[in-house]
Amino acid sequence: MKNIYKNSQSNLSKAKRILSKNNVIAVPTETVYGLAANAYSSKSVKKIYKMKKRPRKNPLIIHYHNLKDLKKDAYLDEKFFKLYKKFSPGPLTYIVRKKENSKISSIANSNLKTVAIRFPRNKIIKELLRSLKFPLAIPSANISSAVSPVSSNDVLDEFSDKINFILDGGISRIGLESTVINLCGKTQILRPGAISQKQISKVLKKKISVSKETTIIKSPGQLKKHYSPGIPIKLNCKRADNKAAFIVFGKKYKNNNKNIFNLSRRGNLEEAARKLYKTLRKIKNLGFKEINVVKIPNNKIGIAINDRLKKAAY
Ligand code: TXA
Ligand code: MG
């Protein structure tokens, strides 16, 4: 397919060349697909904001291959190292203090004193990062406030021919964005994800809370409207309204009505997480005008699923 490039040495080199010229490409990660640009170049980073129509005050996550490179850009403390040892590389993003002499473009972190950083686990993005002399700013590859992509075709669905290089990595294994944890000031989860509050609390030997939305927006990802498929969503439904698409979960829902979309027949929350964005995108593209969703269990990654659904429904 046009603009989609399979994982191969020559395509990785091509990706590297485009990035080194301060242009933007789409890349796979284990959470969702992202738009990648040289984090040390304001020119590159500006292109991301423009493509995504993202407000400049919403900072990006900087992705690294190794700790040595990160140490030049950020101050790291004991809590960071404990979590890093357990969860990185993987779907955890840390908010840490940016070094004054860091080369990260201040546009990438919206001129804040802090910066979001992550070590992705997906092999393809890891190999690409390893070959570069700079870290990559990688927000999810969707137009601001829309649903994140979990495949190359989803990225095309978002940007069509506005993106001319998508590195293909199949379907994202997790399907929801990384957990974001604030390590500056109050240690708190700003965005739930595959790494749960419980797992983090256990490592830090301290109960870590998930931030409730307040008037002070600590993470613009907490902005209320987000992850939106562009049609109304109603949550905690027992049955669907006439003509609405009905998102369900578990074996109770056997009948295969065309309007029923089961996130996981076996009632597995990880499978549901992986299928959520794909399902929202599909329903929208099928032309439904409304979505109803059953109650999804609020534990483990179900907490992240419910977080996204709540924001999508806002
Ligand atoms: O899984 C992921 O994290 C994906 C993949 C591509 O790595 N990326 C992603 O990026 O979800 P994005 O830009 O869609 O979400 C980044 C979130 C936003 O909610 C942003 O507000 C928050 O991280 N963030 C970034 N820098 C921050 C900072 N300094 N303080 C607080 N929140 C920050
Ligand atoms: Mg996003």
Side-chain angles (χ1 to χ4, degrees):
M1 180 92 85
K2 204 178 81 169
N3 305 345
I4 297 180
Y5 292 79
K6 289 273 164 233
N7 175 29
S8 70
Q9 277 315 317
S10 68
N11 285 339
L12 277 175
S13 305
K14 202 164 175 187
K16 186 180 162 183
R17 275 201 302 280
I18 300 173
L19 290 168
S20 301
K21 284 187 189 150
N22 297 326
N23 287 314
V24 174
I25 65 170
V27 294
T29 87
E30 71 278 23
T31 55
V32 298
Y33 274 68
L35 288 184
N38 179 353
Y40 289 164
S41 151
S42 294
K43 191 177 158 200
S44 301
V45 167
K46 278 183 192 163
K47 289 180 185 167
I48 284 190
Y49 280 95
K50 193 166 172 214
M51 276 183 78
K52 279 181 62 75
K53 304 195 178 93
R54 179 171 174 127
R56 286 274 185 94
K57 63 166 202 249
N58 190 358
L60 310 174
I61 301 175
I62 315 303
H63 294 59
Y64 288 85
H65 180 262
N66 64 42
L67 208 50
K68 194 169 140 253
D69 295 337
L70 170 63
K71 281 179 179 166
K72 293 183 234 162
D73 290 328
Y75 296 105
L76 306 171
D77 63 6
E78 200 188 333
K79 273 183 289 188
F80 168 83
F81 285 109
K82 278 186 185 159
L83 294 169
Y84 173 85
K85 239 170 100 183
K86 185 84 184 168
F87 300 118
S88 292
L92 182 59
T93 293
Y94 311 87
I95 308 297
V96 293
R97 204 152 74 82
K98 184 180 170 184
K99 282 194 173 164
E100 291 74 11
N101 63 354
S102 155
K103 282 199 258 173
I104 298 170
S105 157
S106 58
I107 294 171
N109 73 316
S110 306
N111 273 309
L112 296 170
K113 289 208 161 70
T114 58
V115 62
I117 59 106
R118 178 162 106 82
F119 299 87
R121 195 180 189 96
N122 173 283
K123 274 197 198 134
I124 301 170
I125 186 64
K126 260 178 90 169
E127 195 172 341
L128 182 61
L129 281 167
R130 190 163 55 102
S131 74
L132 297 168
K133 292 200 167 60
F134 45 81
L136 293 173
I138 319 183
S140 51
N142 51 274
I143 306 289
S144 193
S145 94
V147 174
S148 296
V150 294
S151 71
S152 309
N153 280 318
D154 292 355
V155 178
L156 274 185
D157 189 42
E158 283 290 315
F159 292 102
S160 56
D161 52 6
K162 287 198 186 76
I163 181 98
N164 41 38
F165 192 99
I166 304 170
L167 196 51
D168 187 30
I171 305 252
S172 298
R173 186 174 56 81
I174 294 172
L176 291 179
E177 304 82 354
S178 60
T179 305
V180 177
I181 181 152
N182 182 36
L183 297 176
C184 293
K186 185 172 182 193
T187 308
Q188 211 179 24
I189 292 170
L190 303 181
R191 179 173 75 183
I195 310 248
S196 70
Q197 175 187 16
K198 265 193 190 153
Q199 285 172 288
I200 289 174
S201 299
K202 201 172 153 198
V203 170
L204 296 181
K205 298 195 173 75
K206 190 178 159 200
K207 196 164 162 38
I208 302 303
S209 60
V210 178
S211 100
K212 300 262 178 296
E213 273 137 341
T214 54
T215 46
I216 305 155
I217 294 169
K218 285 213 192 66
S219 175
Q222 298 173 298
L223 290 174
K224 280 189 173 142
K225 182 175 175 266
H226 218 115
Y227 317 111
S228 164
I231 51 178
I233 301 188
K234 219 158 79 186
L235 304 180
N236 302 323
C237 299
K238 292 220 163 72
R239 63 189 69 77
D241 293 344
N242 239 341
K243 288 187 188 161
F246 194 26
I247 297 183
V248 301
F249 174 82
K251 49 181 173 289
K252 207 169 97 189
Y253 301 90
K254 277 201 194 74
N255 67 338
N256 273 328
N257 281 354
K258 271 203 213 109
N259 70 327
I260 293 191
F261 300 83
N262 202 328
L263 293 180
S264 171
R265 271 174 216 281
R266 29 182 197 123
N268 178 299
L269 285 168
E270 281 167 4
E271 183 187 7
R274 195 158 52 238
K275 282 203 196 153
L276 179 67
Y277 288 157
K278 196 95 213 154
T279 305
L280 291 175
R281 195 174 288 279
K282 189 161 139 195
I283 289 170
K284 164 87 186 302
N285 289 340
L286 282 170
F288 283 96
K289 298 281 178 274
E290 192 191 332
I291 303 177
N292 293 174
V293 191
V294 291
K295 196 169 178 140
I296 309 282
N298 201 40
N299 58 64
K300 297 186 180 144
I301 201 169
I303 294 172
I305 295 175
N306 283 314
D307 169 74
R308 305 306 190 272
L309 280 172
K310 222 165 101 189
K311 285 169 183 154
Y314 185 76

